[in-house]
Amino acid sequence: MTIQLISENKVAGGLHQQFEFDSVALKSTTRFAIFLPPQAIQGQSVPVIYWLSGLTCSDENFMQKAGAFKTAAKLGLCIVAPDTSPRGENIPDDTEKSYDFGVGAGFYVNATQKPWATHYHMYDFIVDELPNVIENHFNVTAQRALAGHSMGGHGAMMIGLRNPDCYSSISAFSPICQPSQCPWGIKAFSGYLGADPKEWRAYDSTELIKAIDSNQFVPMLVDQGDKDNFLAEQLTPEPFIDVATQRDYPLTFRMQEGYDHSYYFISSFIDDHLHFHHQHF
């Protein structure tokens, strides 16, 4: 597979690059951003953290706003940030152009309903195709971790719980913890997966953590701001925490006083998440 370099900037002794390629899973051209720490540039293979962004975001939000480069460079961590959905002239979008469905809102599922089923296979893209691209083109190891924010926090938790053998650790900021029971998730799942809620369970972290074998528990860190406007209606972490506690799952959940849903929040605690993943590689 050929990937095309779009941009490159030196930062924190490493490189931030953007690439695009023709995705088989998405049946469209897609873009990702990558931070290569100095160690990778000097010939050392390094582990990878895959960052999954939230609604309306692209590959750029985390890289520009999180302030992760200095710590990632120090720890020798590669960070990869894909887009949040397929994009392009032939990609279907919500007819009402809402921010929480369609382009920019892939929810990291494999859509089964028309017209979404042709292109909206973000689950397969994140789990299989993107890691294969990264591991075949860059100086990285097969060690992987997942992190994300909001919709991307849902994606990181859900994908990590479904594929525990693939990831050393999982972390999330303000994740949608029970998407099958909140307005954002109900809208997305009914549109992408159909009207039967039974089909949604495979993408709901609160349902998944109930069933995962204890031998496959993956360490997880979740940060949530108590001033987050979406906390009560959309994010609903309590059921997830309750199940994790009952099952003695290795979850560290931190409610951070005074913080909201923004990248100000993420930038305040991103170093903790990078150290967390580094510890488990």
Side-chain angles (χ1 to χ4, degrees), residues 156-209:
M157 290 163 54
M158 174 269 294
I159 289 173
L161 289 168
R162 286 183 59 167
N163 302 275
D165 294 336
C166 296
Y167 304 99
S168 301
S169 51
I170 306 163
S171 75
F173 290 87
S174 313
I176 306 171
C177 293
Q178 198 175 21
S180 66
Q181 302 296 320
C182 76
W184 279 344
I186 292 170
K187 179 177 180 178
F189 286 2
S190 59
Y192 295 137
L193 305 174
D196 185 356
K198 293 179 183 178
E199 301 297 324
W200 307 351
R201 294 174 184 171
Y203 297 103
D204 187 310
S205 294
T206 300
E207 294 297 324
L208 292 169
I209 200 172

Side-chain angles (χ1 to χ4, degrees), residues 7-182:
S7 70
E8 178 178 280
N9 301 91
K10 185 172 183 179
V11 56
L15 286 176
H16 170 271
Q17 299 174 315
Q18 287 179 303
F19 290 88
E20 68 178 15
F21 69 98
D22 293 330
S23 166
V24 174
L26 306 181
K27 294 182 173 58
S28 64
T29 299
T30 193
R31 189 172 73 184
F32 67 88
I34 186 169
F35 171 71
L36 294 167
Q39 296 88 335
I41 297 170
Q42 295 163 7
Q44 177 182 337
S45 295
V46 298
V48 185
I49 298 173
Y50 289 88
W51 174 269
L52 307 184
S53 291
L55 290 166
T56 75
C57 292
S58 70
D59 65 292
E60 296 182 341
N61 299 72
F62 177 84
M63 295 300 197
Q64 294 179 2
K65 297 178 179 181
F69 297 139
K70 289 183 179 180
T71 297
K74 179 180 178 181
L75 297 177
L77 302 175
C78 173
I79 302 174
V80 173
D83 206 341
T84 47
S85 75
R87 295 182 195 263
E89 292 183 2
N90 298 320
I91 303 301
D93 194 6
D94 181 36
T95 56
E96 298 179 358
K97 302 294 182 182
S98 58
Y99 75 96
D100 55 356
F101 189 72
V103 172
F107 269 84
Y108 304 101
V109 304
N110 284 341
T112 59
Q113 305 300 301
K114 295 180 179 180
W116 319 104
T118 300
H119 298 282
Y120 282 69
H121 285 187
M122 289 300 297
Y123 178 87
D124 284 349
F125 178 74
I126 298 299
V127 173
D128 296 318
E129 186 173 18
L130 182 61
N132 286 336
V133 169
I134 299 302
E135 290 166 18
N136 280 306
H137 287 87
F138 299 97
N139 203 8
V140 300
T141 71
Q143 294 183 88
R144 308 171 189 169
L146 279 168
H149 172 231
S150 193
M151 178 185 73
H154 139 72
M157 290 163 54
M158 174 269 294
I159 289 173
L161 289 168
R162 286 183 59 167
N163 302 275
D165 294 336
C166 296
Y167 304 99
S168 301
S169 51
I170 306 163
S171 75
F173 290 87
S174 313
I176 306 171
C177 293
Q178 198 175 21
S180 66
Q181 302 296 320
C182 76

